Amino acid sequence: DAMVIQNPRYQVTQFGKPVTLSCSQTLNHNVMYWYQQKSSQAPKLLFHYYDKDFNNEADTPDNFQSRRPNTSFCFLDIRSPGLGDAAMYLCATSRVTGPQETQYFGPGTRLLVL
Amino acid sequence: AQSVTQLGSHVSVSEGALVLLRCNYSSSVPPYLFWYVQYPNQGLQLLLKYTSAATLVKGINGFEAEFKKSETSFHLTKPSAHMSDAAEYFCAVSDKNSGYALNFGKGTSLLVT
């Protein structure tokens, strides 16, 4: 089945130690999104790629970076995680950008910062 | 940016009872609205979406939602709740200014007893 895969499902890191979260998709979608969802809150967009075109949200901290080496993979890099970065990170894809486009979500990676 | 407001952070219903989860949108132009469900420690799954083709939208798992322009609402309903419906429900609107990413409401946690 075509799907969005996130690895790992759970990630523990230390305060200030760089961490990378991975997302892959078999849907061949052009757009990939990264959302941050803190406990009991709504998901919040960090950035998205349309093909190789990177689009950062204005209020996304510089501590968060992303890479998309090819259509299938997208990575979220947190350069110096703080305690406040503990959250669920959700990757989503859509075929193209558009108001009616459905986004398909992966299962998420839960990040714990010690 | 377009936004949605979900009324009621927690809703509790008995099994077999009607489920009603409320969502109001804030938009001066026709919005494109979505309902997603999130089970514990999982990603989000699309329940249904409004794309202006019909005001009553049927989704998966017996859920439906009605778009009411006069009330700026897009409430989610299900005639008879099942225990497996217990989850977090998010209403969302696509945001043109962010590549049509989703702006989510704060979510409603549905408890089925």
Side-chain angles (χ1 to χ4, degrees):
Chain A
D1 287 341
M3 57 186 0
V4 182
I5 303 162
Q6 290 188 247
N7 286 307
R9 293 293 310 277
Y10 299 90
Q11 176 73 57
V12 181
T13 191
Q14 293 178 335
F15 183 93
K17 183 176 181 180
V19 65
T20 295
L21 309 182
S22 170
C23 177
S24 64
Q25 52 124 343
T26 60
L27 297 161
N28 203 31
H29 283 174
N30 293 300
V31 191
M32 296 186 79
Y33 302 87
W34 278 105
Y35 291 85
Q36 179 192 60
Q37 184 181 22
K38 294 188 176 180
S39 182
S40 301
Q41 295 185 24
K44 181 177 179 297
L45 180 69
L46 293 173
F47 26 60
H48 77 276
Y49 275 94
Y50 192 117
D51 290 333
K52 294 185 177 181
D53 184 20
F54 177 70
N55 298 272
N56 197 28
E57 289 300 290
D59 56 356
T60 297
D62 293 339
N63 198 26
F64 291 85
Q65 305 285 323
S66 185
R67 297 170 284 134
R68 190 178 185 187
N70 53 52
T71 300
S72 300
F73 285 87
C74 194
F75 300 99
L76 170 61
D77 301 310
I78 309 177
R79 293 191 298 185
S80 181
L83 297 178
D85 296 328
M88 174 79 91
Y89 290 88
L90 296 166
C91 175
T93 73
S94 65
R95 186 177 56 87
V96 293
T97 57
Q100 303 183 40
E101 288 295 318
T102 297
Q103 290 187 27
Y104 296 85
F105 284 80
T109 294
R110 185 168 294 282
L111 178 67
L112 179 63
V113 182
L114 301 178
Chain B
Q2 296 177 327
S3 63
V4 292
T5 301
Q6 292 183 244
L7 300 176
S9 58
H10 294 83
V11 170
S12 181
V13 299
S14 301
E15 191 172 27
L18 171 72
V19 175
L20 171 61
L21 305 181
R22 300 177 186 274
C23 175
N24 288 88
Y25 65 89
S26 171
S27 174
S28 59
V29 298
Y32 293 91
L33 297 161
F34 303 77
W35 274 101
Y36 279 84
V37 60
Q38 185 178 35
Y39 297 100
N41 293 316
Q42 294 188 27
L44 284 77
Q45 181 182 10
L46 180 69
L47 280 175
L48 50 83
K49 64 180 180 181
Y50 170 71
T51 59
S52 74
T55 56
L56 182 63
V57 182
K58 294 187 182 298
I60 63 171
N61 301 339
F63 284 93
E64 62 182 36
E66 186 172 8
F67 176 77
K68 292 186 176 180
K69 185 177 180 180
S70 61
E71 300 177 5
T72 62
S73 69
F74 189 58
H75 301 332
L76 182 70
T77 60
K78 182 173 180 177
S80 177
H82 191 272
M83 298 293 284
S84 61
D85 294 326
E88 190 82 14
Y89 292 80
F90 290 96
C91 181
V93 63
S94 60
D95 184 359
K96 180 181 180 181
N97 295 324
S98 297
Y100 295 103
L102 296 171
N103 280 338
F104 288 92
K106 292 186 176 182
T108 298
S109 179
L110 176 66
L111 176 65
V112 182
T113 59

